Amino acid sequence: MSDTIAFDFAPALSLITRADRIAIASHVDPDPDAIGSLLGLGVALEERGKQVAFLSDGPVQPNMHFLPRAEAITDTLPPGFTPELFIALDSSDPKRLGSVAQPLLADDDIPTLVIDHHATNLMFGEVNVVIVEAAATAEQIVYLLDALDHPISKLVADCLMAGFLGDTVGFSVSSTTPLTMRLAARLMEAGAEVHTLTDRLFNSRQLNEVQLWGMGLLNTTLDDGVLWSVIPYDQREAHDLVGVSRTRLSNMLLTVAAAKVTVSFSETADGNVDISMRARPGYDVGSLALELGGGGHKLAAGCTIPGPLEQAVERVVTTLKAIAS
Ligand code: AMP
Ligand code: MN
Ligand code: MN
């Protein structure tokens, strides 16, 4: 039994080996896989003597602040830092990286290495390590570090385990493979504290996140196997819940037994609508997200579409009913 996957890492290794100063970014509204793979790869590269800029557009949720080197994450390139390589993590398209990454993507002198596991990836790097079978981008970082012959330290193991736990929802969803479990066992052997990470990631939240769930859960409708939740911007604003992540609200909607696919609609300040979808195995919301300009996986995907809210809801729910039928 092999602890790796058939993939040619040589072009990625060559980019990494040649660069001394590396900027790494992952997607906006970062989840534990975005932050865990950012920190895990970045710390490993620091261990190899590289200078690393850890970039993330917008705030990191407080329940991830405990991760090693989380304090190094910034939304601006540190002054005087001139990257020789840009690594884009867990992001299926360039705009998903937010504004901090755009000048780096536009700079012809800085190659982009894309590392991502979304089937909807647009392959926007000079080199693309896109492995759809990987349960998390953090899983791909393990393959990459193995290919570099880099031993995994406890610090790196903790960061990467956060990514594994986040995207597999504690090794519970169908993307979790025997290989995922073998790699996770190696991270545990390297010192990753699964129980502490699980507690921080899943059982520790800010009060306002729970209040947002309350709002989202009250505003739900179930029809023809589709469960949807709608959060108008003025309600978010009135309760001071702007900017609060609804990823875990989305996961919770799918616990309703009668739902085959679920969707949460959240209106933004500029009148657009953020959409987060989930599906039971056998259904696919990733293709719809891609069609609507977003991306994701078959079972978890998202996008942002123009308002008004009622029309966006009508349009997406109609399509989802066809998907769920
Ligand atoms: P979320 O619903 O935000 O937890 O995201 C579920 C999955 O869809 C994750 O893999 C995200 O990276 C992806 N995703 C969510 N929103 C977008 C978007 N606007 N564009 C591309 N991918 C997205
Ligand atoms: Mn992610
Ligand atoms: Mn991911």
CSV table of all heavy atoms in Angstrom, one decimal, residues 27 92-93 96 118 246-247 276 278 294-297 300-304, ligand 1:
chain,number,residue,atom,x,y,z
A,27,HIS,N,-7.6,31.1,-0.1
A,27,HIS,CA,-8.8,31.8,-0.5
A,27,HIS,C,-9.5,32.7,0.6
A,27,HIS,O,-9.2,32.6,1.8
A,27,HIS,CB,-9.9,30.9,-1.1
A,27,HIS,CG,-10.4,29.8,-0.1
A,27,HIS,ND1,-11.3,30.1,0.9
A,27,HIS,CD2,-10.1,28.5,0.1
A,27,HIS,CE1,-11.6,29.0,1.6
A,27,HIS,NE2,-10.8,28.0,1.1
A,92,SER,N,-9.9,27.7,-6.6
A,92,SER,CA,-10.1,27.1,-7.9
A,92,SER,C,-10.0,28.2,-9.0
A,92,SER,O,-9.9,27.9,-10.2
A,92,SER,CB,-11.5,26.4,-8.0
A,92,SER,OG,-12.5,27.3,-7.5
A,93,ASP,N,-10.1,29.5,-8.6
A,93,ASP,CA,-9.9,30.5,-9.7
A,93,ASP,C,-9.2,31.7,-9.1
A,93,ASP,O,-9.1,31.8,-7.8
A,93,ASP,CB,-11.3,30.9,-10.3
A,93,ASP,CG,-12.2,31.6,-9.3
A,93,ASP,OD1,-12.0,32.8,-9.0
A,93,ASP,OD2,-13.0,30.9,-8.7
A,96,ARG,N,-10.8,34.2,-6.4
A,96,ARG,CA,-11.0,33.5,-5.1
A,96,ARG,C,-9.9,33.9,-4.1
A,96,ARG,O,-10.1,33.7,-2.9
A,96,ARG,CB,-11.1,32.0,-5.4
A,96,ARG,CG,-11.5,31.2,-4.2
A,96,ARG,CD,-13.0,30.9,-4.2
A,96,ARG,NE,-13.3,30.1,-3.0
A,96,ARG,CZ,-14.0,30.4,-2.0
A,96,ARG,NH1,-14.6,31.5,-2.0
A,96,ARG,NH2,-14.1,29.6,-1.0
A,118,HIS,N,-9.9,21.2,-6.0
A,118,HIS,CA,-11.3,21.4,-6.6
A,118,HIS,C,-11.4,20.9,-8.0
A,118,HIS,O,-10.5,21.3,-8.9
A,118,HIS,CB,-11.7,22.9,-6.5
A,118,HIS,CG,-11.9,23.4,-5.1
A,118,HIS,ND1,-10.9,24.1,-4.4
A,118,HIS,CD2,-12.9,23.2,-4.2
A,118,HIS,CE1,-11.3,24.4,-3.2
A,118,HIS,NE2,-12.5,23.9,-3.1
A,246,ARG,N,-20.6,31.7,7.3
A,246,ARG,CA,-21.8,30.8,7.4
A,246,ARG,C,-21.5,29.4,6.9
A,246,ARG,O,-22.3,28.6,6.6
A,246,ARG,CB,-23.0,31.4,6.8
A,246,ARG,CG,-23.2,31.3,5.3
A,246,ARG,CD,-22.4,32.3,4.5
A,246,ARG,NE,-22.4,32.1,3.1
A,246,ARG,CZ,-21.4,31.4,2.5
A,246,ARG,NH1,-20.5,30.7,3.1
A,246,ARG,NH2,-21.4,31.4,1.2
A,247,THR,N,-20.1,29.1,6.8
A,247,THR,CA,-19.8,27.7,6.4
A,247,THR,C,-20.4,26.7,7.2
A,247,THR,O,-20.9,25.7,6.7
A,247,THR,CB,-18.2,27.6,6.3
A,247,THR,OG1,-17.7,28.3,5.2
A,247,THR,CG2,-17.8,26.2,6.3
A,276,SER,N,-23.9,29.3,-0.7
A,276,SER,CA,-23.1,28.2,-0.2
A,276,SER,C,-24.0,26.9,-0.3
A,276,SER,O,-25.1,26.9,0.3
A,276,SER,CB,-22.7,28.5,1.2
A,276,SER,OG,-22.2,27.3,1.8
A,278,ARG,N,-24.6,22.5,-0.4
A,278,ARG,CA,-24.2,21.2,0.1
A,278,ARG,C,-25.1,20.2,-0.6
A,278,ARG,O,-26.3,20.5,-0.8
A,278,ARG,CB,-24.3,21.0,1.6
A,278,ARG,CG,-23.4,22.0,2.4
A,278,ARG,CD,-21.9,21.6,2.3
A,278,ARG,NE,-21.1,22.4,3.1
A,278,ARG,CZ,-20.6,23.6,2.7
A,278,ARG,NH1,-20.8,24.1,1.5
A,278,ARG,NH2,-19.8,24.3,3.6
A,294,GLY,N,-18.6,30.4,-9.8
A,294,GLY,CA,-17.9,30.1,-8.6
A,294,GLY,C,-17.2,28.7,-8.8
A,294,GLY,O,-16.7,28.4,-9.8
A,295,GLY,N,-17.3,27.9,-7.7
A,295,GLY,CA,-16.6,26.6,-7.9
A,295,GLY,C,-16.8,25.8,-6.6
A,295,GLY,O,-17.6,26.1,-5.8
A,296,GLY,N,-16.0,24.7,-6.5
A,296,GLY,CA,-16.1,23.8,-5.3
A,296,GLY,C,-16.1,22.4,-5.7
A,296,GLY,O,-15.5,22.0,-6.7
A,297,HIS,N,-16.7,21.6,-4.9
A,297,HIS,CA,-16.7,20.1,-5.1
A,297,HIS,C,-18.2,19.7,-5.4
A,297,HIS,O,-19.1,20.5,-5.2
A,297,HIS,CB,-16.3,19.4,-3.8
A,297,HIS,CG,-15.0,19.9,-3.2
A,297,HIS,ND1,-13.8,19.6,-3.8
A,297,HIS,CD2,-14.8,20.8,-2.2
A,297,HIS,CE1,-12.8,20.2,-3.1
A,297,HIS,NE2,-13.4,20.9,-2.1
A,300,ALA,N,-20.0,20.1,-2.0
A,300,ALA,CA,-19.9,21.4,-1.3
A,300,ALA,C,-19.3,22.4,-2.2
A,300,ALA,O,-18.2,22.3,-2.7
A,300,ALA,CB,-19.0,21.3,0.0
A,301,ALA,N,-20.1,23.5,-2.5
A,301,ALA,CA,-19.6,24.4,-3.5
A,301,ALA,C,-20.3,25.8,-3.2
A,301,ALA,O,-21.2,25.9,-2.4
A,301,ALA,CB,-20.0,23.9,-4.9
A,302,GLY,N,-19.8,26.8,-3.9
A,302,GLY,CA,-20.3,28.1,-3.6
A,302,GLY,C,-20.0,29.1,-4.8
A,302,GLY,O,-19.3,28.8,-5.7
A,303,CYS,N,-20.7,30.2,-4.7
A,303,CYS,CA,-20.5,31.2,-5.8
A,303,CYS,C,-21.2,32.5,-5.3
A,303,CYS,O,-21.8,32.5,-4.2
A,303,CYS,CB,-21.2,30.8,-7.1
A,303,CYS,SG,-22.9,30.4,-6.9
A,304,THR,N,-20.9,33.6,-6.0
A,304,THR,CA,-21.6,34.9,-5.7
A,304,THR,C,-22.3,35.3,-7.0
A,304,THR,O,-21.6,35.4,-8.0
A,304,THR,CB,-20.5,35.9,-5.2
A,304,THR,OG1,-19.9,35.4,-4.1
A,304,THR,CG2,-21.2,37.2,-4.9
B,1,AMP,P1,-18.4,27.0,1.6
B,1,AMP,O1,-19.8,26.8,1.3
B,1,AMP,O2,-18.0,28.5,1.6
B,1,AMP,O3,-18.0,26.3,2.9
B,1,AMP,O4,-17.5,26.4,0.4
B,1,AMP,C1,-17.7,25.1,0.0
B,1,AMP,C2,-16.7,24.7,-1.1
B,1,AMP,O5,-17.0,25.5,-2.3
B,1,AMP,C3,-15.3,25.0,-0.7
B,1,AMP,O6,-14.5,24.0,-1.3
B,1,AMP,C4,-15.0,26.4,-1.3
B,1,AMP,O7,-13.7,26.6,-1.6
B,1,AMP,C5,-15.9,26.4,-2.6
B,1,AMP,N1,-16.4,27.7,-2.9
B,1,AMP,C6,-17.2,28.4,-2.1
B,1,AMP,N2,-17.5,29.6,-2.6
B,1,AMP,C7,-16.8,29.7,-3.8
B,1,AMP,C8,-16.7,30.7,-4.8
B,1,AMP,N3,-17.3,31.9,-4.8
B,1,AMP,N4,-15.8,30.4,-5.9
B,1,AMP,C9,-15.2,29.2,-5.9
B,1,AMP,N5,-15.3,28.2,-5.0
B,1,AMP,C10,-16.1,28.5,-3.9
